[in-house]
Amino acid sequence: MSPSPIPTPPAAAEPLSPSAFLRAKSAWRWPEIVFWLSAFGLILLLPNRHLLLNEIVILGLFALSLDLILGYAGIVSLGHAAFFGVGAYAAGLLAKHGISEPVTGLVLSGAIAGCVGLLASFMILRGTDLTRLMVTLGVALILHELANRLDWITGGADGLLGVSVGPILGRFDFDFAGTTAYVYSLTTAFLLFLLARRIVHSPFGLSLKALKDNRLRAATIGIAPNRRIVAVYTLAAVYAGMAGALLTQTTQFVSLEVLDFARSADALLVLVIGGSGYLYGGLIGAIAFKLMKDTLSAMTPAYWIFWMGFILVILVLIGRDRLVAGLARPFAPLLRRFGGNGP
């Protein structure tokens, strides 16, 4: 009796080239397409909620800017509102002194916030995470006090009055229903998201993740950590500044509240809810955070902060991934079918 032939093991999969790997990572998937189609579809589906939707978009863009440094570079910031506030005040001052076209003001405000972020980035290159935490908080506190003291420029505690924003591109006026504001903010957030998505799915984005995992090891393989930290911190400041500018332009008012610590804390809470390190965490978290805040404050105006904290504690104890997996379990067959793994 002849011995049975030994089965040949299946050939190993051909390893992807770096360019093919990045192309696969950056390919659009159906949940992303549904997300953005739904966001733009709400222009028609919820015509009476555009003011709330505009707030959600601005908060989501601000949280996305924080995710660029927290989720990809591992830099925790307690003072990210500094750049949000700089962009908000820059947009208000530009509109008050002659540059009332929103798109021009938006770009200039982002550039000004980016310059502040560039200067601040050199202060976080050295030290531990705790040192960076205190530096980011200190920068925000300094800017808050400057805005309060320089009341002849910023309006101080009374806020910056006389902000008059013109039509977008000279054609689209802002309306009381917030429709123009929502379309403007959503379009801006989508374009900035596309840019951020392209950046994080590039060799630069992969190098940021390497820095987050092990900065020393990344340096030994030729990655310059300081340059990348300065670059991503400046980019995050630009995004935060544009989010602040959107708030000023769509409300035509700016006050010291844009520089408050609570503003930075809200962005962190949004990332706790939505997750960090994949860009959509800030957007999804902003939706959940804003809806929870509005619902709880309407149900229990005196105790909504307690219930918000209770929900966050439960979320942390159970785990966001486990909670999402439990909620998605009944829809698993549908998700597999749309994902191409169905029968």
Side-chain angles (χ1 to χ4, degrees), residues 58-243:
I58 293 173
L59 178 59
L61 179 59
F62 180 44
L64 186 150
S65 71
L66 179 60
D67 195 19
L68 287 174
I69 59 173
L70 175 61
Y72 289 90
I75 301 172
V76 184
S77 173
L78 284 178
H80 204 57
F83 313 118
F84 185 92
V86 167
Y89 272 107
L93 290 170
L94 288 170
K96 187 176 180 180
H97 294 96
I99 305 179
S100 60
E101 201 284 308
V103 176
T104 305
L106 179 69
V107 174
L108 291 176
S109 300
I112 293 170
C115 291
V116 176
L118 176 63
L119 295 175
S121 66
F122 293 103
M123 293 185 285
I124 64 167
L125 292 178
R126 298 180 180 274
T128 61
D129 291 338
L130 181 59
T131 305
R132 293 177 177 177
L133 207 64
M134 292 299 101
V135 167
T136 57
L137 179 59
V139 170
L141 293 176
I142 290 172
L143 290 177
H144 184 282
E145 189 58 26
L146 282 175
N148 185 36
R149 292 289 182 179
L150 301 177
D151 54 356
W152 54 279
I153 298 177
T154 64
D158 296 328
L160 185 63
L161 304 177
V163 177
S164 179
V165 181
I168 300 171
L169 301 175
R171 299 183 60 185
F172 306 102
D173 289 304
F174 288 98
D175 56 293
F176 288 106
T179 302
T180 304
Y182 175 56
V183 174
Y184 172 52
S185 298
L186 182 61
T187 303
T188 302
F190 178 64
L191 294 177
L192 291 176
F193 175 85
L194 291 179
L195 177 61
R197 192 178 185 276
R198 179 68 184 88
I199 289 173
V200 300
H201 291 142
S202 68
F204 176 77
L206 295 180
S207 67
L208 288 179
K209 290 184 177 181
L211 289 176
K212 179 184 177 182
D213 294 338
N214 192 314
R215 183 175 176 180
L216 182 60
R217 183 181 299 171
T220 60
I221 60 174
I223 297 175
N226 290 351
R227 293 180 182 177
R228 281 163 175 77
I229 289 175
V230 168
V232 73
Y233 201 81
T234 304
L235 178 67
V238 171
Y239 273 52
M242 287 189 169

Side-chain angles (χ1 to χ4, degrees), residues 287-332:
I287 298 171
F289 177 80
K290 200 66 181 178
L291 292 180
M292 280 195 301
K293 183 178 178 179
D294 282 19
T295 303
L296 293 174
S297 60
M299 292 172 57
T300 58
Y303 303 105
W304 71 269
I305 296 179
F306 167 80
W307 291 111
M308 179 72 78
F310 179 77
I311 292 173
L312 290 174
V313 170
I314 295 299
L315 180 64
V316 171
L317 290 178
I318 296 179
R320 183 183 58 257
D321 296 338
R322 291 171 58 188
L323 184 62
V324 171
L327 293 174
R329 190 173 294 117
F331 307 99

